[in-house]
Amino acid sequence: MSSIDPTAISRPRSPDLISGYHLEKLVGSGGMGEVHKATQLSLGRTVAVKLLNPELAKDPSFIARFQKEAAALAALSHPHVVSIVDKGKTDTTYYLVMEFVDGPSLRELIRAPDLNVPVALRRMLEICRAIEYAHGRGVIHRDLKPENILLDQQAGGIAKVSDFGLASFLADASPSSRYALTSTHVSMGTLSYMAPEQRVDAKNADARADIFSLGVILYEWLTGEVPLGTFDPPSRKRQGVDTRLDAIVTRCLKPDPDDRYPSVTALIADLEILVPGSLPSLLPTKQTRMQRFRQGVRKVVNRTLQVAAVLLVLAAAVVLGLALLRGNQPSRARPGVAIMSDLGTASSGSGPGRKETGAEKFTVNLGDGPDAMALLVTGRPIQFEGKALVYPLVDEQPRVGRTIVDVVGFEGDILSLSARVRVDAQPPSWERRLRTALKLDSPAPDPVAALLLTGSTGRYVALTYNGAGEPMALEWVLGERRGAMLGLASPEGEAHLELKVDAEGLLQGYVGKGKDQRAIGEPLNLGPGWMEHFGNAPVPGFGCNEGACRAEGFTYIVRKSPPPGTTAPVVVPPMARPVVANAVPAKAVTPKRPPPPPPKKQPVKPPPKGGKRR
């Protein structure tokens, strides 16, 4: 067991915390607790003591998980599984006492620059035999990863599997009801090493989930990388790796459990052929009458197959001769690569649409509106049918088309591109069927449509969709960063697709809309300043390879993120607006009063007759 980093911080433990054991040195720590090197006083031997975190020791679920690991280890006794010595409880926590493995973890071995392939395969065979034994005892590990595999230096570097804290018991194993901790539709384990079905529903994942994890470990051991999305075979990643390992790893990593090895025993049978000097996993036993009968049938079948193989070689020679006359067929590229390949000179075109430019938002709608949108069309011709952008069925070449919307003059760091997309297959002609049957042409690829974000020459992101149940894919070529990631199966018929990039540079593909929207895979993290990966500011596009492709509601939106430390403005009703300091007061308005009535005139008395007015 490897030592922890000397900078690790841990609260000191009393050496005599556990009766009968003397704790000597902290050698590992994690979320569940700590592992100490200790001495078993009764026998004077070195052991490993695993202590549950005292805070977690108050939680019944963590106590049950700790007890579950003890039950799993107690059910197993194998030279490549860490053995349990004792378990118990103190006043503050629970503990397990296990065999002490003096050596590094597989993680440290994978990081080493030099790879000895025969030794790696021999150790991998030991790990597989440990898991085969565990499955035979009704225990599924569910958390296989390099950190949980130790290499015992005192025993010649043999591998030992540890940490059964997430193990599950098969239905026919006695401890299953007592330690059934995982709820339905709950994911448990380490994401990079988990089988697809385990990510969705860990409780119902069976032994084939461990086979997927073994495939990830083997691939990472051979190449130094974890297989994500569409990955290259190990023999292409590292020289000296036997090409037969490609098929073994690929079968382990099949997304559908039914396509993987049916058992670890079958995986071992293929690995043993590649490991020089390995011992057979099964000892010879006395055959029954039925087994002898089956062996005789196999001999007859093998002879028949040998004759058929000779005939097949002759037929293959004829087909190969025809193929050589036609020249070598190019290897089939990924859909995004095919759509973004050199399709010749682009032609200018236009289509109906609407462009709206605001202070914080820029929007382009293609297919409906008063504006004439500039398009760059390469390969297959495109047309508008109502509000939809359409690649109709074609019988002649080219079968690949790409249309880029020529939009410039916008700024922003939040982006989305969406459309309702439909793909229909091209009915094969009799001539094409005949040429395919004679191997004169390679089989036609499945029709695929793609939403595109393109930058400077050769830089792009493509969300591909075939509408026939095949996995959707996110492909990217952004300078040195390039790759592909498979995701959810394509829904049949029409689907709403969307590409989004946020201000932090997380790029994600989605299918569906509103509450039904689902991410097709893991996000691609381009980081802040993500547009630099595109060279030029990314522009939207639509592509089609084979068949008929249709995009309706094509919408491209670019937004500016708010400056740091600002929040969205709050609209205050007029009667509740606060008085703003230093504001210029409005002039007071005094309601007008009605003017006073004019004074009444006094009647003028006429002067007296014959006299003077006084």
Side-chain angles (χ1 to χ4, degrees), residues 20-22 24 38-47 85-86 97:
Y21 299 92
H22 181 77
E24 298 179 359
T39 299
Q40 185 180 12
L41 300 179
S42 60
L43 296 176
R45 65 173 173 177
T46 301
V47 293
V85 176
D86 193 7
V97 181

Side-chain angles (χ1 to χ4, degrees), residues 35 52 84 95 103 182 199 246 254 307 311 316 352 355 364 421 449 462 516 540 546 552 556 562-563 567 602:
V35 178
L52 181 62
I84 188 170
Y95 66 88
T182 309
R199 301 182 186 186
D246 298 344
K254 290 290 185 181
V307 175
L311 298 176
K355 180 165 63 174
V364 170
V421 177
D516 297 329
E546 295 286 339
E552 190 170 356
Y556 182 62
T567 57
Q602 297 294 328

Side-chain angles (χ1 to χ4, degrees), residues 80-82 127 130-131 141 144 148-149 159-164:
H80 298 301
V81 175
V82 173
I127 298 167
I131 300 305
H141 193 286
L144 286 171
N148 290 342
I149 298 168
K160 286 182 176 285
V161 180
S162 67
D163 202 342
F164 282 77

Side-chain angles (χ1 to χ4, degrees), residues 485-554:
M485 183 187 305
L486 296 180
L488 298 174
S490 298
E492 296 184 3
E494 185 179 84
H496 186 277
L497 307 183
E498 186 168 8
L499 275 171
K500 293 182 181 179
V501 190
D502 63 18
E504 299 300 323
L506 284 180
L507 188 149
Q508 180 79 72
Y510 296 90
V511 60
K513 195 172 183 180
K515 295 181 180 179
D516 297 329
Q517 189 175 70
R518 298 290 184 271
I520 70 161
E522 301 295 328
L524 174 63
N525 189 356
L526 300 178
W530 57 268
M531 284 186 292
E532 297 177 359
H533 294 287
F534 284 86
N536 300 331
V539 294
F542 182 60
C544 183
N545 186 7
E546 295 286 339
C549 304
R550 179 186 183 93
E552 190 170 356
F554 189 97

Side-chain angles (χ1 to χ4, degrees), residues 422-445:
R422 182 180 180 88
V423 181
D424 295 305
Q426 171 88 15
S429 63
W430 68 268
E431 180 182 3
R432 181 151 190 166
R433 290 177 181 175
L434 180 60
R435 295 179 69 86
T436 301
L438 295 177
K439 306 297 183 182
L440 299 178
D441 286 339
S442 58

Side-chain angles (χ1 to χ4, degrees), residues 243-284:
T243 55
R244 290 175 292 179
L245 284 168
D246 298 344
I248 295 175
V249 170
T250 301
R251 188 174 180 185
C252 289
L253 297 179
K254 290 290 185 181
D256 189 341
D258 293 336
D259 295 335
R260 297 177 207 146
Y261 285 100
S263 65
V264 183
T265 303
L267 169 60
I268 290 174
D270 282 356
L271 278 177
E272 282 178 337
I273 301 173
L274 306 179
V275 181
S278 62
L279 296 175
S281 57
L282 297 175
L283 296 176

Side-chain angles (χ1 to χ4, degrees), residues 550-564:
R550 179 186 183 93
E552 190 170 356
F554 189 97
T555 304
Y556 182 62
I557 301 174
V558 178
R559 293 186 178 89
K560 293 181 181 179
S561 60

